[in-house]
């Protein structure tokens, strides 16, 4: 019989891209969707990242954020995202009992929440463009939607802070539509996480905190706050938050996690 | 059942503590093939069957101190005490930090943290989460390798 030939289904469209912005690199991995639409949406998402960087940069003297913190602009004068991000930062500060803060050295500095928020937004934009799977990694903080293939889930490795190139765990999206994995720690930039109460580098027994949840904006903020807080207090606090699981690694190499993290590992 | 009546009670205890000590050293991720003190600590004359009460175990108290192993956080050295053939004490003679905050944390042990399993899993990951890297840090990151591999 030659009448019935089976042709393999065409491989779904896949697009990868790495873009330098905000002093780091954003890695995009997009599956499925109509190629032209996906390419256009990716270009828009990238433009948006650069625009967000211009607005929020604390390194650029003339960014809206710099002018806002000098009192030359009001929030109403700024792009609408500024009010949105500052409100998110205030909520994070409240929910973290002050361990996350968008003020530094007396100035408004939402740097700690901007990147996670920008990654989540870029991923959501791509997810809404008819794609079947999206993974965006902004400097080590990952947001995924959908799945990379019909019978696969997104799998995010957690870098081992004490062993360069190794993994401490693997988190699987396993059915969840949105998965965020954020890590705060000293492995890459040293002691750069400040204790909001002292304005100095946080005195902590931790080398890394990884948080898992549905939205990167929050996962990122909670990882930073938990890191500054130290292992003793951080675990109880993280357990009290809804929709967050976490992995903590101390300088002595001890690894501990919240009750529900195991369900995400694999 | 009294623990001493079990078969090979000493070996059981020593192995358990060996696992703990080598686990600590492995988690420090330094010299993973060296278990300090353990080679010295494991007595070759483990009693079998009767246990210490029948006098087949070495009498008295023995203390053995292992070699100090240099780690990136400082030296790690372990001393064990065996009394009448039973492991009675394990002391860290030297630990990298003496800050009481660092001794232990609560929470749940992380399952499936074996290196072998993770090495096998790393072949099928799509992205890597880690402490924020700079543009320069990205170039030596696992994520950069994944981006290249995906084309």
């Amino acid at each position: 019989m030659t009448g019935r030939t089976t042709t393999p289904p065409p491989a779904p469209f896949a697009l990868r891209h790495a873009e330098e912005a905000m002093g780091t690199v954003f890695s995009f991995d997009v599956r499925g969707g109509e190629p032209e639409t996906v390419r256009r949406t990716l270009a828009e998402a990238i433009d948006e990242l650069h625009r967000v960087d211009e607005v929020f940069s604390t390194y650029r003297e003339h960014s809206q954020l710099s002018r806002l913190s000098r009192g030359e602009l009001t929030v109403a004068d700024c792009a609408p995202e500024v009010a949105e991000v500052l409100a998110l930062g205030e909520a994070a500060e409240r929910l973290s009992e002050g361990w996350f803060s968008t003020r530094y050295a007396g100035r408004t500095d939402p740097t700690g929440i901007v990147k996670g928020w920008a990654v989540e937004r870029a991923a959501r934009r791509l997810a809404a463009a008819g794609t079947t799977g999206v993974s965006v990694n902004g400097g080590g903080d990952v947001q995924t939607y959908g799945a990379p293939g019909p019978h696969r889930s997104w799998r995010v490795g957690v870098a081992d802070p004490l062993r360069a190139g190794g993994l401490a765990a693997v988190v699987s999206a396993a059915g969840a539509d949105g998965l965020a994995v954020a890590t705060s720690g000293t492995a890459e930039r040293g002691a750069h996480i400040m204790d909001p109460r002292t304005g100095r580098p946080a005195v902590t027994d931790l080398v890394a905190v990884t948080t898992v949840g549905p939205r990167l904006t929050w996962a990122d903020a909670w990882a930073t706050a938990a890191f500054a807080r130290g292992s003793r207090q951080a675990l109880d606090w993280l357990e009290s938050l809804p929709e967050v699981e976490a992995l903590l690694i101390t300088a002595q190499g001890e690894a501990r996690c919240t009750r529900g993290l195991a369900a995400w590992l694999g | 059942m009294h623990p001493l009546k079990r078969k090979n009670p000493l070996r059981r205890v020593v192995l358990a503590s060996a696992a703990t000590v080598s686990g600590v050293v492995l988690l420090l991720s330094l010299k993973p093939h060296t278990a300090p003190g353990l080679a010295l600590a494991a007595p070759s004359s483990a009693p079998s069957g009767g246990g210490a009460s029948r006098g087949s175990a070495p009498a008295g108290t023995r203390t053995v101190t292992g070699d100090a192993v240099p780690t990136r956080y400082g030296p790690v050295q372990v001393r064990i005490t065996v009394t009448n053939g039973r492991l009675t004490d394990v002391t860290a003679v030297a630990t990298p930090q003496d800050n009481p905050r660092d001794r232990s944390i609560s929470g749940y042990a992380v399952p499936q943290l074996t290196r072998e399993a993770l090495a096998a899993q790393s072949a099928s990951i799509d992205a890597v989460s880690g402490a924020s890297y700079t543009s320069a840090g990205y170039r030596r990151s696992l994520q950069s390798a994944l981006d290249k591999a995906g084309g």
Side-chain angles (χ1 to χ4, degrees), chain B residues 35-59:
Chain B
L38 296 170
L40 283 171
S44 53
S45 57
S48 60
S53 55
R54 295 212 182 149
S56 61

Side-chain angles (χ1 to χ4, degrees), chain B:
Chain B
M1 191 181 185
H2 193 278
L4 286 179
K5 302 287 192 219
R6 282 187 180 161
K7 199 182 174 192
N8 279 344
L10 178 63
R11 176 159 303 187
R12 200 186 303 266
V13 174
V14 169
L15 282 179
S17 82
T20 307
V21 174
S22 62
V24 168
V25 171
L26 282 174
L27 280 169
L28 282 162
S29 82
L30 313 147
K31 288 213 163 190
H33 302 297
T34 316
L38 296 170
L40 283 171
S44 53
S45 57
S48 60
S53 55
R54 295 212 182 149
S56 61
T61 298
R62 243 173 6 121
T63 300
V64 186
T65 304
D67 294 332
V69 174
T71 75
R72 62 193 281 199
Y73 298 103
V76 172
Q77 193 173 21
V78 176
R79 179 170 59 217
I80 68 158
T81 304
V82 180
T83 304
N84 291 330
R86 275 203 314 146
L87 182 71
T88 52
D89 191 29
V90 179
T91 313
V93 185
T95 56
Q97 288 166 348
D98 263 345
N99 183 343
R101 284 182 71 184
D102 293 333
R103 274 185 202 144
S104 69
I105 60 175
S106 56
Y108 293 79
V110 179
Q112 298 176 0
L113 209 66
T114 70
R115 300 235 155 133
E116 294 74 16
L118 287 166
Q121 286 181 332
S122 67
S124 60
I125 57 170
D126 303 292
V128 180
S129 178
S132 303
Y133 43 75
T134 60
S135 305
Y138 166 79
R139 285 189 268 281
R140 57 172 191 274
S141 73
L142 206 46
Q143 182 63 49
S144 151
L146 287 172
D147 289 348
K148 280 184 194 132

Side-chain angles (χ1 to χ4, degrees), chain A residues 198-210:
Chain A
T198 61
R200 302 160 67 114
V203 178
T204 179
D205 57 336
L206 295 167
V207 286
V209 175
T210 296

